[in-house]
Amino acid sequence: MSQPPQFTITTATNITTLCLSGRLDTKGVAAVWQRVTIAVGRAKSPTLIINLGEVDYMDMAGAAFISHLKNLDHNGTAKERSQVNGLKSAYTPLLVLAEKTDIKPAITNHLSPHSFVEQTGKNVADFLYDAKTFISFIGELIFAMVSSLKAPKNIRWGETFLMAERAGVDALPIVGLISFIVGLVMAFQAAIPMKMFGAELYVANLIGIATVRELGPLMTAIVLAGRSASAFAAEIGTMKINEEIDALTVMGMDPVKFLILPRVIALTMVTPLLTIFANLVGILGGAVVILSLGYPLVAYYNQVVNFVTWQDFTGGIIKCFVFGVLIAATGCIRGYQTQMGSSAVGQSTTRAVVSSIVLIAVFDGIFSIMYYYMGV
Amino acid sequence: MKQTAIEVKNLSAGYNNQAIMENLCFEILSGEIFVILGGSGCGKSTVLKHMIGLIPPVTGKIIIHGQDMVTAQGKTKNSLLQKIGVAFQNGALFGSMTVLENVMLPLKEYTDLPMDAIETIARVKLGLVDLEQGAFLLPDELSGGMRKRAAIARAMALDPSILFLDEPSAGLDPLTSAGLDKLIMDLRASLGITFVIVTHELESILAIADRTIMLEKQTKGIIATGPPKQLKQDKSNPYVYNFFNRNLELRNIKNDPKS
């Protein structure tokens, strides 16, 4: 194993002499960098002579080290005169190359941090720009939908059904599992206080109305936001990076009609269907609890059917159409907004999921207020 | 006499035990600019991937500084990898890091240097490729040529003795390409680095290569070896002659007024 380089430093009147010996490679330089820098920095004389006669080997790290020593600040100014002696001629070009670079030892960053006010202003501007982009995109989407309605054969139905299969059929297990567990847990939690009043059977009313009106649509939408919005964003984002969308544009094809419309139609079709499935499985989860409490299944069924109205059911389903459009549109627009770089797709995917969930929550609130005033 | 930097012995290159090149044998000398040449899809990049230890070959040995890259494991392989640098075709720079951070990364991982030393060395490496001004830019903000130079700077971070370059001039304008060729020549002259370059940019090959081997898909092997200027003149193998002279058909050799 090679020995680390050695150094001696002597100071006479106005002249500091540094003698280095051994191997000045990356490993060797690492061993002496700090000690030599401190020692040279402490020397008061303005002239530095670096004697490299005993240096056996030097690579670019060694050359950078010598260049760094020559440029060291001394009382705020660089050494007035630095001189290198004894360097083997083979290593002279390395030093010349290293000295070509303007070395500034302090770590600096071109990205200066923003003040609170600047950051807030930037966030507000970003939000407004984002809202504007989203609204104009929705407008473009509606235009594409309307023009496609005039000529439905122009819609890419093959792609649409493929998307419907991926977003819908493939999501059945996860939607079913979550809905069943939510129904089961909610029934358990509700059964405990209701039992005190001997009203366990009314758990069926709670499960029926909550699942059909709120939980079924909401759970389905959140699963789809996590599953399909992210997939759409990643898919379209990758296409953007690979210039596939540019290729579509220059071929005269509208990317909105070609890529986004099939996804929006597919998700708008499958969200209500998945919600119906989620409603049934959620109610089934409640049934397990009721059965365990000793009531017959028929009693649970009658209780649900008599309490939940068609209005409740359709109210939940209408929401799902809107959720479907929102999730698909958000996923696609976030993918469409993907910038360049490997982290960009990840950022788009995250933004797609977050935006979808926020929009689902906001629109669910809007629907609740609307239904309240409509008496639904 | 120059030492052997890399020795490739009976190498069968390919994936999943399917050899696309068989029984390749060649040596690369220290300080040499060596070009692996061949038509599209002949397996040049696969051979390169075997040489840098990215994928194991079907059979054969790749001896780098006396150690077999194919069988090296753990610390041995790690130390071997630190002796080589690789610049990939599209740069393969980490998009979330600035150019300077990309170059600093190997130094942070493999050395005990203090941070200011790491930054100084990284800046010197960027200076070598004339990229000091782009130190704080993200890879996305760089042009194709800048990205390739940044990749070379990162590959040189640990002062490797061998640099592997995959298609360094592909997609670059002639001036940038010529600048890159000059950089390779300068680095070899001042640092004595051995260059192994995979390319089919003829102008670049003729300008910088000391020696080249030419691979061919049909014969699954080396069909020509030697200095590129010599291969360009040699009419003994029509395919090689046509390749170097950009002739589409064999008869062009006969019609060539110079011949």
Side-chain angles (χ1 to χ4, degrees), chain B residues 109-128:
Chain B
E109 285 298 311
Y110 290 115
T111 71
D112 301 322
L113 286 160
M115 276 307 286
D116 61 332
I118 289 175
E119 194 194 350
T120 303
I121 294 171
R123 289 174 75 106
V124 166
K125 299 289 159 73
L126 286 174
L128 289 180

Side-chain angles (χ1 to χ4, degrees), chain A residues 59-209:
Chain A
D59 63 11
M60 275 313 294
F65 177 50
I66 302 302
S67 173
H68 157 75
L69 291 175
K70 286 180 78 177
N71 285 293
L72 263 186
D73 276 5
H74 181 64
N75 296 333
T77 56
K79 290 281 178 199
E80 281 174 20
R81 278 186 301 152
S82 301
Q83 194 182 317
V84 174
N85 289 341
L87 180 64
K88 289 190 176 87
S89 58
Y91 303 129
T92 311
L94 300 188
L95 198 56
V96 172
L97 281 172
E99 285 178 346
K100 215 179 66 170
T101 313
D102 177 26
I103 301 166
K104 292 188 186 82
I107 299 283
T108 50
N109 198 329
H110 70 312
L111 298 169
S112 56
H114 293 295
S115 71
F116 175 74
V117 177
E118 275 178 319
Q119 193 59 49
T120 310
K122 190 178 174 300
N123 290 346
V124 171
D126 286 350
F127 175 77
L128 290 176
Y129 177 76
D130 201 39
K132 184 187 150 203
T133 316
F134 197 84
I135 290 166
S136 60
F137 179 79
I138 292 286
E140 211 175 325
L141 187 64
I142 290 168
F143 177 76
M145 281 174 119
V146 171
S147 61
S148 296
L149 281 177
K150 287 180 194 165
K153 65 178 171 49
N154 289 344
I155 297 172
R156 298 172 66 223
W157 288 111
E159 173 88 353
T160 306
F161 288 122
L162 182 71
M163 288 297 151
E165 186 190 335
R166 280 193 209 158
V169 180
D170 295 352
L172 279 173
I174 182 74
V175 169
L177 179 74
I178 288 181
S179 304
F180 184 79
I181 290 172
V182 167
L184 189 96
V185 170
M186 201 169 62
F188 258 123
Q189 296 302 324
I192 297 163
M194 284 190 173
K195 201 173 182 181
M196 293 194 289
F197 304 103
E200 302 100 298
L201 193 58
Y202 290 101
V203 167
N205 299 30
L206 173 76
I207 296 294
I209 200 85

